């Protein structure tokens, strides 16, 4: 069990604004990084998701808390079938999206700040799970919004960056 410090803006901008690298699935370090991400997310009070760069690891991995997103999962959901309370997405890619929604978003790396950001309402994502199996997941509601914010983290984009556009 290792709860890591969540890096925040602006002190750690140099890391948070960096684009993350694809994960080599055979890398023996993956297991520890994923466990640290799970422990850190569960330790937060309101966090729905956490991306690896938020704990200082520039790899394309994010995790979501399942109890926060259960109602947003499709009937044939892959992550609903796993027993763990945290869902893991490795080398994720959004392969389809639909609709638009605006929601006041917060971020663990930008404490005390929220921004109304327009996102896709429904997303279909492809990723690898922690056992190396590829899976597809169709998400809506809070889960879809969280996925899009976590994907942004992997590309070095923060919720602050939307205001400036
Ligand atoms: Zn965030």
């Amino acid at each position: 069990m290792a709860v890591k410090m969540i890096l925040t803006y602006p002190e750690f901008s140099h890391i948070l604004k960096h684009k993350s690298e694809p994960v080599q699935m055979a890398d023996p370090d993956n297991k520890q990084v994923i466990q640290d991400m799970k422990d850190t997310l569960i330790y937060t009070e309101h966090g729905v998701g956490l991306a690896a760069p938020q704990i200082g690891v520039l790899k394309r991995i994010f995790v979501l808390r399942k109890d926060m997103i259960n109602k947003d999962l499709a009937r044939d959901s892959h992550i609903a079938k796993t027993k763990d309370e945290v869902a893991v997405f490795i080398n994720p890619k959004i392969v389809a999206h639909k609709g638009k929604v605006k929601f006041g978003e917060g971020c663990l790396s930008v404490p005390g700040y929220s921004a109304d950001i327009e996102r896709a309402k429904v997303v279909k994502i492809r990723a690898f799970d922690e056992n190396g199996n590829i899976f597809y997941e169709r998400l809506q509601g809070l889960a879809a919004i969280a996925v899009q914010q976590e994907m942004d983290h992997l590309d070095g984009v923060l919720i602050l960056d939307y205001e400036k556009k």
Side-chain angles (χ1 to χ4, degrees):
M1 163 114 190
V3 174
K4 296 287 181 181
M5 183 180 76
I6 296 177
L7 305 187
T8 53
Y9 177 91
E11 303 93 293
F12 294 98
S13 297
H14 56 291
I15 296 169
L16 294 168
K17 298 270 188 172
H18 214 278
K19 194 173 158 91
S20 290
E21 293 291 322
V23 175
Q24 303 298 322
M25 294 304 293
D27 187 339
D29 293 341
N30 294 343
K31 207 175 165 187
Q32 188 61 52
V33 171
I34 290 166
Q35 191 58 50
D36 290 348
M37 290 175 70
K38 288 180 179 178
D39 294 340
T40 305
L41 178 60
I42 290 297
Y43 190 74
T44 69
E45 212 171 330
H46 303 294
V48 181
L50 185 76
Q54 293 180 278
I55 59 163
V57 177
L58 291 167
K59 288 185 178 176
R60 301 189 78 82
I61 310 172
F62 71 78
V63 293
L64 296 181
R65 258 184 88 138
K66 275 164 60 183
D67 59 350
M68 304 267 207
I69 59 155
N70 269 332
K71 63 176 185 355
D72 301 322
L73 302 176
R75 202 169 297 171
D76 59 347
S77 166
H78 174 78
I79 61 177
K81 287 180 213 139
T82 60
K83 288 211 168 65
D84 211 322
E85 55 190 325
V86 176
V88 180
F89 298 75
I90 303 168
N91 291 340
K93 188 172 165 54
I94 291 174
V95 292
H97 59 88
K98 202 169 75 177
K100 275 180 185 165
V101 66
K102 214 172 205 181
F103 183 79
E105 295 181 34
C107 175
L108 294 167
S109 289
V110 195
Y113 178 84
S114 77
D116 287 324
I117 298 172
E118 191 175 274
R119 306 273 196 192
K121 198 173 180 186
V122 182
V123 296
K124 189 176 178 188
I125 189 164
R126 184 187 70 210
F128 291 87
D129 66 18
E130 54 194 312
N131 301 312
N133 299 312
I134 197 162
F135 68 98
Y136 289 83
E137 196 75 35
R138 188 177 177 275
L139 301 157
Q140 56 178 355
L142 184 62
I145 291 163
V147 156
Q148 291 169 86
Q149 185 183 122
E150 303 317 326
M151 292 296 297
D152 274 353
H153 278 300
L154 302 183
D155 290 325
V157 175
L158 296 173
I159 57 172
L160 289 155
D161 297 326
Y162 284 83
E163 195 122 76
K164 290 171 201 150
K165 275 177 193 166

